[in-house]
Amino acid sequence: MSRPAQPQDLLLMFDRPTEPIFMPKGDNNNVAFDVPPALLDNRINADAGLVNRLGAGEADQHVQVKTIALPDLSIPQTLARDQNFSLFIPLHRKAAGRLIEILMGMRNIDDLVSMSAACRERVNPYLFNYALSVAILHRPDTRNLQIPPLFESFPDKFMDGAIFNRARQESEIFPSGSRQPLEIPVDYTASDLDIEHRLAYFREDMGINLHHWHWHLVYPFSGPRSLVDKDRRGELFYYMHQQIIARYNFERLCNSLARVKRFLNWREPIAEGYFSKLDSLVASRIWPPRHSNATISDVNREVDQLQVDIADCERWRDRFYDAIHQGSILMPNGNRELLTEEKGIDILGNLMEASILSPNMNVYGDLHNMGHLLISLCHDPDGRNLETFSAIGDPATAMRDPIFYRLHSFVDDMFQEHKSTLPRYETNKLVYNGITIRSVDVETPGAPKNELRTYWKKDDVDLSRGIDFTPRGNVFARFTHLQHTDFTYKIQVENSTNSPKVGTVRIFLAPKFDERGVNMLFRNQRLLFIEQDKFTVTLKPKSNTIERKSTDSSLTIPFERTFRELQRNRPGGGVSLEQFNFCGCGWPQHMLLPKGTPEGMPCEIFVMISNFDDDKINQSTEGSCADAAIFCGIRDKLYPDKRSMGYPFDRMPRDGVNTLADFLTPNMFVRDVSIRFTNQTVGVQGGDEPNRLN
Ligand code: CUO
C-alpha cells in the first residue's frame, strides 16, 4: 500500500540511524519510505533492485516522499557523518541551529518529511536526531508526537559497550521471540578500589542521563530565537543543575562520602578518573577515558574549529564575580544591566549557559560549555591523536563522569554568590496568615511510620531500534537501577480563617546530619534540600488532611515515560496524536529518593504551604504536559510558580536564624524520617533476585 506521509512517520526516521532512509522501518519493518532519487545521497540511490533486495519491497506500507528543493546544507554538513556530536562545541551548536531552522521552516508535514528524509542521508546521525527532535517538539503540527528516548536510537550512549557484540550474536543465533535479555553488569565501569564508584548507580543511571539529555532538548542552545527564548530559562538552568548537585551530595552522604569538591583550580590535576566503557556504534570508536590526576590544557583543535585557553576561562570567571559583586553586568552597548532580585538569576543563568540568549558573550564568554569541553578534551587538546571528546563532552553522557558534579558545583557556587547578595526572606515573605501545619507523616506500606524504603530493581529496554544488524527483531538489555517503595505524605493543616484558602504545598527532603554526623547550620543544609513535590491545595476553614502520593510528584515522570513503553503495549497499538500528549522531560520517578543506608539514613522532610496569591501565574495549562514542571517548566507556558526557583531555600537566612528549627514559621513543618536501603534486587516481574554483592 502506498500512502501519503503522516506526522508519525517522522518518528520512524529515528530508527537505526546509520541505515539508509529507504530500508524498512518500524517495529515489524513494515514501513518503507519511497524516496525520490534526487533526495537520496548514496551510491545505491538509483538501483531500485538493490533497494528492494534490502527489504523495502516487502514492507506493506510505502510512504510517498515528495521531491523538495534542498537548501544549502553546508553548515550542518561541517560535521562529518562519522564524528561524535556535542552541543558544547560551538561549531556543532551552529550546525544544529541551522538544521533546526531548516526543519522548523517547512510549511507542512509533506515538506518536513521530504526535508527530513534528505537530511537524514546527508548529515551526521547524532546531529540529525537532535535537530529533528527539537523541531518535532516545537512545531505546532508535530508537537504532540512522542519522541523516542535517545537510548532507543543510540543505546551506545547509555550502556556498557560490551553488550552490542553479545546482542549481535544473540540475534544471529536466535529468532526474535526466543532471545534472552542481555544482562548489563551492575559494576562495569570500575571496581570498589575507586571510592567514587560507590556513586555509579546514580551517575550511570539511564533515567537520570535521559532526563539530562531531554532537558537540554527542551531548552536548546540555538535555533530560532522564539524557540530558545523560554520563560525563566536561565533561572531554570541554574535551578535544575543546582538540584542535581544537591541530589548528588545527598547520595554521597548516604555512601559515607563527603560533599563534592568544587572544580575551582583548573590547573590542578583532576583526582577523579573516569573510564566510561561506552562504545560508539556510529563512529565505531570507544569513548576516550580520563585517567586519574589528568590535567586540562589549552585547546586548539582544527577539526572542531575550537580554540580556547584556560586563561580565557579564568578571565570569564573573574568577570562573572565582578558582575555579581557590582550587582550588574556589562552590556554590549556599554550600559550596565542590574542583577535584580527578580531577574538577576535569569540573566546570570543565560550568561553562564551561553545559549544564543547570552546578553554579552564577548565579555562573559562561554564558561560553562568550555568547562565541559576542556575537561572532555584533556587527553587530546590539539587533536594530534585524532581523538574526540569524552563522556563529559555530551549532555547525554556527561552525568556519568564524577567530574561533572565538580564542574557544576563550581558553576553553582557563582549562582550562590549572587543569591547571597539578595535580600533575605523576612518572616512576612514566608508566613501564610491563618494557616498552620499541625503534622506531617510519610507512610510506606509494610514499613514503620516515617520510614522510606529503597532497593534494587531490574528492568528491560529494547535495543532493536538502535542497532542495525540483521536478522531483525527485539533484543532486550536488562539493567539494574535503584527503586523505592511508593509512599504517601499525610499533612494535617489548620485554617483558622473563616474562608477557604488556596496554598502551594512545597515538599523538600534533606539529610539531617553532615559528613561528621552532626547537625548542620541552615546556611549549609539549605543547599542539600532536594525538592520532591509541589502542588496546589484548597484549605477549608478548620482542619484539613492532605494526602499525596509519591507517584504524583510534579518533579518526576513515571518509569514508563522515561523509557517509553513499547508501542504495541499502548491503547490502539500505535502512536496517536490525540492520545499521547507526551513530554519526556522530568526526573525519573525511580530516582525520587536517595539510596539511604541499611541502618536507615536520618533525614528531614520539610513541608511548607505558601500563599497562592503570591505564587500564582494566570494561565491555563490544560492539555499541556505539566506533570514534571519543577525541572522542566510547561511547554509554551510561563513557569508555573511566581516565586524564585528553590524558594524558600534559595537565599541566606534572615538574621537570627542559625538552624532549620529557627527558620520555621507556622505554615512550615519538619518531620524526621529515615531512608532504609535493603540490598536486594527485585526482578523484572517483581520476584526477588539473588543479592548483589556490594
Ligand atoms: Cu546540563 Cu553542564 O549543563 O550539563
Side-chain angles (χ1 to χ4, degrees), residues 412-569:
D412 189 56
D413 198 54
M414 284 187 215
F415 293 132
Q416 297 301 340
E417 186 80 5
H418 162 69
K419 286 283 186 178
S420 70
T421 68
L422 300 182
R424 312 329 194 202
Y425 293 121
E426 298 299 332
T427 42
N428 64 351
K429 291 270 166 69
L430 297 169
V431 292
Y432 190 175
N433 287 329
I435 302 300
T436 305
I437 302 185
R438 297 277 177 222
S439 75
V440 171
D441 286 298
V442 291
E443 291 179 3
T444 309
K449 212 180 216 185
N450 294 314
E451 183 174 294
L452 299 161
R453 294 260 168 109
T454 60
Y455 53 92
W456 303 116
K457 169 90 171 69
K458 286 188 185 187
D459 273 292
D460 292 346
V461 288
D462 186 5
L463 304 177
S464 55
R465 287 165 177 272
I467 46 187
D468 51 12
F469 41 80
T470 50
R472 299 281 206 223
N474 304 112
V475 192
F476 290 95
R478 178 160 294 176
F479 66 108
T480 306
H481 58 87
L482 188 65
Q483 184 60 284
H484 58 270
T485 310
D486 296 339
F487 56 93
T488 307
Y489 304 97
K490 283 218 170 114
I491 305 165
Q492 305 283 355
V493 192
E494 186 79 17
N495 172 1
S496 60
T497 71
N498 297 325
S499 55
K501 294 280 175 195
V502 183
T504 306
V505 181
R506 300 164 188 273
I507 304 180
F508 291 80
L509 180 69
K512 190 173 167 75
F513 303 116
D514 71 4
E515 291 84 346
R516 300 162 300 164
V518 300
N519 286 107
M520 278 176 270
L521 291 175
F522 178 87
R523 56 184 296 152
N524 296 325
Q525 193 184 18
R526 74 185 180 92
L527 297 172
L528 287 167
F529 268 103
I530 55 175
E531 190 163 5
Q532 296 293 82
D533 204 352
K534 177 158 65 183
F535 54 97
T536 309
V537 284
T538 302
L539 302 162
K540 60 184 189 324
K542 302 216 177 66
S543 68
N544 295 264
T545 303
I546 302 167
E547 288 201 14
R548 176 80 169 178
K549 292 197 194 104
S550 58
T551 47
D552 290 337
S553 164
S554 55
L555 179 83
T556 61
I557 54 174
F559 190 85
E560 304 73 39
R561 184 95 62 88
T562 297
F563 291 101
R564 190 171 91 144
E565 259 182 325
L566 300 177
Q567 288 184 21
R568 58 181 162 282
N569 295 341

Side-chain angles (χ1 to χ4, degrees), residues 88 212 216 237 241 368 372 404 408:
F88 298 126
H212 187 239
H216 282 282
F237 172 77
H241 289 86
H368 154 262
H372 277 270
F404 172 89
H408 266 279

Side-chain angles (χ1 to χ4, degrees), residues 376-410:
S376 74
L377 292 166
C378 69
H379 54 276
D380 197 16
D382 57 10
R384 74 179 65 184
N385 297 116
L386 310 178
E387 285 289 322
T388 184
F389 49 83
S390 63
I392 176 97
D394 178 345
T397 53
M399 288 184 67
R400 309 175 82 83
D401 187 335
I403 192 65
F404 172 89
Y405 305 88
R406 296 193 54 202
L407 173 67
H408 266 279
S409 293
F410 158 83

Side-chain angles (χ1 to χ4, degrees), residues 202 208 211-212 239-249 399 404-405 408 587 631:
F202 180 91
I208 284 184
H211 159 70
H212 187 239
Y239 184 58
M240 199 281 290
H241 289 86
Q242 186 276 329
Q243 284 285 295
I244 284 177
I245 299 302
R247 286 183 170 268
Y248 189 64
N249 280 329
M399 288 184 67
F404 172 89
Y405 305 88
H408 266 279
W587 189 253
F631 276 2

Side-chain angles (χ1 to χ4, degrees), residues 211-219 236-237 240 353 585 631:
H211 159 70
H212 187 239
W213 162 73
H214 213 117
W215 191 90
H216 282 282
L217 195 67
V218 176
Y219 293 93
L236 193 54
F237 172 77
M240 199 281 290
E353 193 187 7
C585 187
F631 276 2

